[in-house]
Amino acid sequence: YKITRPSPSPFTILQNGHVLAPASGFSNAAATYQLQILVTDSLGNTCNGTLTIKVLPVYNNPVNFTTSSVSVTIMENGGPNQMVTTVKAQGSHVLYEMITATADYYIQSGTGTIRSTYNLDLETTPSLVTTVLEVRAYDRYQRSNSATVTVTINVLDVNDIAPKCSPAIIV
């Protein structure tokens, strides 16, 4: 086995065909290498092929959530911008975004605070009773350094219909 390109190659190939990465490792940058490898048998017959190696970055401070899901319950009719919950991820330079498209809730990218976009009223929109959102936290400088959490929002009905007495006067 012989690496013919690139020359010189940061990789080493052994007699059994195992390809070794450099002992010094790589800088913390993602890179892709295409190695042209020539194989020769004891009779001198040859063949060659291409081996693609993708070096992935190592995150010294990975973004992650301590839990995979969060469930919260709020009351309806809390008004627009009602505070629902705050998700918190560990890591450096963390920002937040909603993966699930919704017009009912939004997330503040710097804090992870989820709020309602308008007054949630179950009488007019019964489908708001349960909403499942996917939220991503990511490193602002390395967006691929990210994690997700599932947020389930349950909205409780408030009795907002005034009582009626019939008849209005009882004698």
Side-chain angles (χ1 to χ4, degrees):
Y1 295 92
K2 180 180 179 185
I3 299 173
T4 58
R5 277 196 330 231
S7 182
S9 173
F11 299 92
T12 307
I13 193 162
L14 302 177
Q15 288 182 350
N16 63 3
H18 291 174
V19 176
L20 303 178
S24 60
F26 298 94
S27 65
N28 198 23
T32 301
Y33 296 89
Q34 290 215 332
L35 306 181
Q36 292 293 322
I37 299 176
L38 176 67
V39 181
T40 307
D41 69 10
S42 60
L43 299 175
N45 299 314
T46 63
C47 68
N48 59 35
T50 303
L51 174 65
T52 302
I53 299 173
K54 185 174 182 179
V55 179
L56 301 175
V58 174
Y59 302 116
N60 294 328
N61 196 0
V63 173
N64 68 333
F65 287 101
T66 56
T67 182
S68 62
S69 64
V70 176
S71 183
V72 295
T73 301
I74 60 171
M75 304 299 276
E76 71 170 339
N77 296 323
N81 299 318
Q82 177 183 7
M83 205 294 222
V84 176
T85 190
T86 300
V87 293
K88 186 72 177 153
Q90 298 171 335
S92 297
H93 318 292
V94 176
L95 293 177
Y96 302 88
E97 66 182 356
M98 269 203 259
I99 299 171
T100 309
T102 178
D104 307 321
Y105 302 96
Y106 69 94
I107 191 164
Q108 294 172 315
S109 65
T111 63
T113 300
I114 299 173
R115 295 183 176 275
S116 63
T117 0
Y118 56 89
N119 186 45
L120 305 176
D121 185 0
L122 293 176
E123 281 75 26
T124 57
T125 316
S127 63
L128 291 173
V129 73
T130 301
T131 304
V132 179
L133 303 174
E134 285 291 319
V135 174
R136 176 184 294 126
Y138 61 94
D139 183 321
R140 92 171 54 217
Y141 301 113
Q142 285 187 301
R143 194 174 179 93
S144 60
N145 180 7
S146 65
T148 59
V149 66
T150 302
V151 179
T152 303
I153 303 168
N154 299 298
V155 180
L156 292 181
D157 191 19
V158 174
N159 187 2
D160 53 0
I161 301 170
K164 293 182 182 177
C165 296
S166 180
I169 300 175
I170 298 176
V171 178

